């Protein structure tokens, strides 16, 4: 698959690392092309770089941005997202206080789906931290990636992306359950001070 990642932060780095190690093509788009080029040069593989606003070429588009930046991305791309698998990794929190925010649509993923109804929205990677994604594991344990979507083919594509990068994809169900996933993502953030792991822990299903 060709993966376009919008964003140049730590989550973009982590997801791009997994995608490249899984053999997929990666294009990074940043608010400044220089930032995307710098990140691409640091990744373990060949990644392309461009600026937000460039045409989308990827089969899968990952929104590796803060929740507050999502409306701008959707406004810029609009119909270009029709038919694309759009991966929402966000957790709706205040970027300064990290307090959770209420999303009227129920979740950020549902908000995206309502704004660009032609897109195939998948909620994923919001419960995994950037550093653990870059490493691909925590304490030798494979990471779990929880996915929610109303489009089974889109969910299968993101599941394959995760699996190819050495992760275990777990199907949570329809997109409506993205609300619960965002709650899990917030809890995972909230327990970090007590754990003292500096966002180096992971949520794992053991059976």
């Amino acid at each position: 698959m060709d993966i376009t990642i919008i964003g140049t932060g730590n989550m973009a780095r982590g997801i791009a690392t997994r995608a490249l190690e899984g053999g997929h093509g990666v294009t990074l788009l940043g608010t400044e092309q220089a930032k995307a080029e710098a990140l691409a040069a640091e990744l373990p593989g060949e990644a392309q770089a461009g600026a937000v606003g460039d045409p989308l070429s990827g089969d899968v588009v990952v929104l590796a941005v803060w929740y507050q930046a999502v409306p701008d991305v959707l406004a810029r791309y609009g119909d270009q997202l029709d038919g694309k698998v759009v991966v929402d990794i966000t957790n709706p929190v205040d970027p300064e206080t990290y307090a959770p925010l209420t999303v009227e649509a129920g979740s950020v993923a549902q908000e995206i789906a309502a704004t660009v109804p032609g897109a195939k929205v998948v909620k994923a990677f919001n419960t995994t931290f950037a550093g653990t994604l870059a490493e691909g594991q925590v304490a030798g344990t494979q990471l779990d990636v929880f996915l929610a979507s109303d489009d089974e083919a889109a969910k299968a594509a993101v599941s394959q992306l995760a699996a190819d990068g050495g992760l275990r994809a777990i199907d949570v169900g329809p997109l409506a359950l993205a609300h619960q996933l965002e709650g899990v993502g917030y809890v995972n953030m909230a327990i970090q001070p007590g754990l003292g792991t500096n966002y180096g822990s992971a949520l794992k299903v053991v059976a």
Side-chain angles (χ1 to χ4, degrees):
M1 289 179 280
D2 289 325
I3 316 299
T4 296
I5 300 175
I6 298 176
T8 55
N10 289 332
M11 283 298 289
R13 179 189 298 274
I15 294 171
T17 298
R18 291 298 102 224
L20 288 167
E21 294 199 358
H24 300 286
V26 171
T27 298
L28 296 160
L29 299 182
T31 52
E32 297 177 22
Q33 185 164 332
K35 290 183 178 180
E37 291 173 348
L39 176 55
E42 297 171 3
L43 293 171
E46 293 288 335
Q48 305 301 311
V52 175
D54 288 353
L56 297 175
S57 59
D59 308 303
V60 177
V61 178
V62 179
L63 305 184
V65 297
W66 283 90
Y67 165 54
Q68 288 75 10
V70 168
D72 179 65
V73 172
L74 300 183
R76 283 175 180 266
Y77 284 105
D79 292 346
Q80 284 192 56
L81 295 169
D82 285 354
K84 301 283 189 184
V85 176
V86 175
V87 183
D88 167 37
I89 74 165
T90 64
N91 286 312
V93 298
D94 183 300
E96 294 185 4
T97 66
Y98 282 77
L101 302 174
T102 299
V103 179
E104 186 175 348
S107 67
V108 183
Q110 289 168 288
E111 189 174 80
I112 293 170
T115 304
V116 283
K120 304 170 183 177
V121 181
V122 180
K123 188 77 180 186
F125 297 106
N126 74 298
T127 62
T128 51
F129 294 131
T132 67
L133 283 169
E135 292 295 325
Q137 52 82 34
V138 170
T141 301
Q142 183 184 44
L143 299 181
D144 287 344
V145 177
F146 302 96
L147 305 96
S149 180
D150 291 334
D151 190 297
E152 293 302 319
K155 195 186 299 182
V158 180
S159 294
Q160 188 64 54
L161 173 64
D164 290 345
L167 314 176
R168 181 174 72 158
I170 297 179
D171 186 345
V172 172
L175 197 64
L177 291 177
H179 173 74
Q180 279 73 23
L181 283 184
E182 290 174 1
V184 171
Y186 177 72
V187 168
N188 200 22
M189 295 165 63
I191 63 177
Q192 292 307 302
L195 289 176
T197 62
N198 193 27
Y199 296 90
S201 63
L203 299 178
K204 181 69 180 176
V205 175
V206 179

